[in-house]
Amino acid sequence: MSKIIVLFNLKAEVSVEAYEAWALATDIPTVNGLKSVDAFDVFRTSGLLGGGEAPYQYVEIIDVPDLAALGEDVATEVMQKVSAEFQELADNPLFMVTQSLVNL
C-alpha cells in the first residue's frame, strides 16, 4: 500500500471558493471512483502546530494499493481532463509517493 501525498498552493488568480467548489464537485468524487484508489481526501491547512502559517494551502492524501493500476486509471480520458483542470488551479504541486514503515 502506498500513499500519495500532494502539497500545493493555488495559483494567484484562483480563488479558494472556485478551487474548493471544483474539488468537491469534480476532483474528490472522480478520484474516489477509481478502482485503483482505496481513499482520497483533500485537506485545507489552517496553520502550523505551535503557531505560524503553513507553507502549503492544501494537502491531498491518496491511498493506492497498486501504483501500476493507478497509472492505468490516470491514463483515461476522464482523468486526463481532471488532471489538466487541477494543473490550471494548483501552483507547482508536489507529489510524493510514500510507504508506511510498518508495512515495509
Side-chain angles (χ1 to χ4, degrees):
M1 168 72 75
S2 296
K3 285 190 187 282
I4 299 173
I5 299 173
V6 185
L7 306 173
F8 64 98
N9 292 312
L10 299 178
K11 291 184 176 178
E13 66 274 12
V14 177
S15 73
V16 167
E17 296 79 15
Y19 164 72
E20 291 184 4
W22 174 83
L24 290 168
T26 302
D27 195 27
I28 294 169
T30 303
V31 176
N32 272 315
L34 299 176
K35 292 182 206 172
S36 61
V37 171
D38 282 352
F40 172 59
D41 205 348
V42 180
F43 301 89
R44 181 189 323 136
T45 62
S46 56
L48 298 174
L49 188 61
E53 188 174 321
Y56 295 98
Q57 291 173 288
Y58 294 93
V59 177
E60 294 181 346
I61 299 177
I62 312 165
D63 292 338
V64 181
D66 181 349
L67 289 172
L70 177 66
E72 292 174 15
D73 279 348
V74 170
T76 65
E77 187 176 325
V78 169
M79 277 306 299
Q80 289 295 305
K81 181 178 183 290
V82 170
S83 180
E85 291 171 355
F86 177 73
Q87 292 297 327
E88 290 178 14
L89 301 165
D91 187 22
N92 296 314
L94 180 65
F95 290 80
M96 298 180 290
V97 178
T98 69
Q99 293 179 314
S100 170
L101 293 179
V102 175
N103 298 319
L104 289 179

